[in-house]
């Protein structure tokens, strides 16, 4: 089985071409391959399948084997994967996901995809929820951008003990369901800074849906303008509100290719 390791701002996934043949037990395979000591090492596995209504389908598995509905960094890499391998010559694609179809615009430079803009759709921002855990109290803003998030504004995300707080906030009963957790600051109206605990994967260098959720929550509270640069540990995404939808632009990069026995 051949695979491709790709990353968007350090949010890395193992990509499998499943257009003609699909491996058995993808959940267990994702656990094995994602292990950074005994496997390839990644935040999860993404299978590229034939489109249901769009051009292709993205089927995502987290590092713990659980299914993910949507991944903003992952879907940008899907766009680069299918274009750079000649599976399509289109630069505007529709990718089916567990959260519904998402439209991509591929920015091609020198015959290869350099960056991708994704129409992430509309974000649903809920009412703030007061949460107590580990002796601390947090105001969590529920946001859904195709998958569930909990946004927490703070002065400096870099000072948050994310490894301690992330696991308990992810499953906190007051939030109703397992959520990705974002700690966010807004230094000015054109910039946001965040760190993310991803459900099923833990601390990641970047999270596209998490950045969109943080942006949506910041807009709701009038902490930022309609276009921001979102800084994550792995790099920067450009986010823009157009009408009801959020558009995300960022890089996608192939790390290496290999073959599994």
């Amino acid at each position: 089985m051949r695979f491709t390791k790709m990353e968007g701002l350090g949010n890395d996934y193992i990509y499998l071409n499943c257009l003609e043949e699909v491996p058995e037990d993808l959940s267990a395979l994702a656990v094995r391959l994602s292990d950074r000591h005994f496997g390839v090492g990644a935040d999860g596995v993404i299978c590229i399948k034939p489109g249901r209504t769009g051009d292709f389908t993205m089927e995502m598995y987290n590092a713990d084997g659980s299914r993910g509905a949507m991944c903003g960094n992952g879907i940008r890499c899907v766009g680069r994967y299918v274009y750079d391998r000649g599976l399509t010559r289109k630069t505007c694609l529709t990718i089916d996901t567990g959260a519904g179809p998402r439209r991509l615009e591929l920015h091609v430079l020198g015959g290869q995809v350099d960056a991708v803009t994704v129409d992430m759709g509309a974000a649903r921002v809920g009412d703030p929820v007061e949460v107590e855990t580990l002796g601390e109290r947090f105001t969590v803003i529920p946001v859904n951008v195709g998958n569930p998030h909990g946004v927490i504004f703070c002065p400096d995300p870099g000072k948050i003990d994310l490894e301690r707080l992330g696991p308990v906030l992810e499953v906190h009963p007051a939030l109703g369901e397992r959520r990705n957790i974002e700690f966010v600051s807004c230094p000015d109206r054109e910039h946001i800074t965040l760190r993310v605990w991803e459900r099923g994967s833990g601390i990641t260098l970047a999270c596209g849906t998490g950045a969109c959720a943080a942006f949506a929550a910041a807009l709701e509270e009038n902490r930022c303008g309609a276009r921001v640069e979102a800084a994550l540990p792995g790099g920067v995404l450009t986010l823009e509100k157009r009408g009801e939808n959020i558009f995300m632009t960022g890089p996608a990069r192939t790390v290496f290719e290999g073959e599994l026995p």
Side-chain angles (χ1 to χ4, degrees), residues 162 180-182 194-198 202-204 206-207 210 232:
L162 194 55
N180 302 278
I181 301 297
E182 289 80 34
L194 67 151
R195 293 175 64 214
V196 182
W197 175 272
E198 284 201 53
I203 297 174
T204 56
C207 177
L232 300 107

Side-chain angles (χ1 to χ4, degrees), residues 137-148:
R137 187 176 181 88
F138 302 97
T139 299
V140 183
I141 301 174
V143 183
N144 192 295
V145 288
N147 57 357

Side-chain angles (χ1 to χ4, degrees), residues 3-260:
F3 69 89
T4 302
K5 175 80 173 285
M6 304 184 76
E7 59 89 9
L9 300 188
N11 196 193
D12 56 345
Y13 289 89
I14 299 159
Y15 287 78
L16 303 177
N17 184 336
C18 298
L19 293 172
E20 296 181 357
E21 184 177 357
V22 181
E24 295 181 0
D25 199 350
L26 284 167
S27 180
L29 182 64
V31 173
R32 178 165 67 89
L33 297 185
S34 299
D35 191 292
R36 297 190 183 274
H37 299 288
F38 298 103
V40 178
D43 292 324
V45 168
I46 289 178
C47 303
I48 300 173
K49 295 185 173 184
R52 298 187 295 269
T53 59
D55 297 287
F56 299 92
T57 294
M58 177 181 83
E59 189 172 296
M60 174 194 168
Y61 293 81
N62 295 309
D64 67 353
S66 61
R67 284 287 300 273
M70 176 57 185
C71 175
N73 292 315
I75 200 171
R76 293 201 313 277
C77 291
V78 169
R80 176 160 192 169
Y81 184 103
V82 297
Y83 186 90
D84 286 0
R85 283 157 184 76
L87 299 173
T88 183
R89 287 293 88 191
K90 297 168 66 174
T91 56
C92 290
L93 302 171
T94 299
I95 306 297
D96 294 317
T97 77
R102 295 291 185 267
R103 187 166 175 79
L104 275 58
E105 180 186 353
L106 311 182
H107 305 282
V108 179
L109 182 66
Q112 292 188 322
V113 174
D114 178 59
V116 179
T117 298
V118 185
D119 181 350
M120 297 290 286
R124 300 196 306 272
V125 181
D127 295 328
V129 178
E130 298 298 321
V131 172
E132 291 188 22
T133 187
L134 300 179
E136 298 186 63
R137 187 176 181 88
F138 302 97
T139 299
V140 183
I141 301 174
V143 183
N144 192 295
V145 288
N147 57 357
H149 293 261
V151 176
I152 302 169
F153 290 105
C154 64
D156 185 357
K159 294 182 179 180
I160 298 296
D161 189 349
L162 194 55
E163 189 169 9
R164 181 177 71 97
L165 293 169
V168 293
L169 288 169
E170 173 191 342
V171 297
H172 199 286
L175 299 178
E177 60 181 315
R178 288 181 67 194
R179 291 181 180 272
N180 302 278
I181 301 297
E182 289 80 34
F183 283 90
V184 185
S185 67
C186 301
D188 56 52
R189 294 190 63 80
E190 288 77 41
H191 297 86
I192 63 174
T193 301
L194 67 151
R195 293 175 64 214
V196 182
W197 175 272
E198 284 201 53
R199 60 176 190 167
S201 296
I203 297 174
T204 56
L205 292 177
C207 177
T209 58
C212 291
F215 177 46
L219 279 171
E220 184 74 13
E221 297 205 343
N222 196 28
R223 294 173 181 261
C224 70
R227 187 182 187 278
V228 301
E229 301 292 311
L232 300 107
V236 177
L237 294 170
T238 300
L239 306 174
E240 186 177 0
K241 184 78 176 295
R242 304 180 197 169
E244 294 299 315
N245 290 7
I246 294 174
F247 287 75
M248 172 190 67
T249 301
R253 189 176 74 93
T254 297
V255 182
F256 62 85
E257 297 184 343
E259 188 168 352
L260 297 165

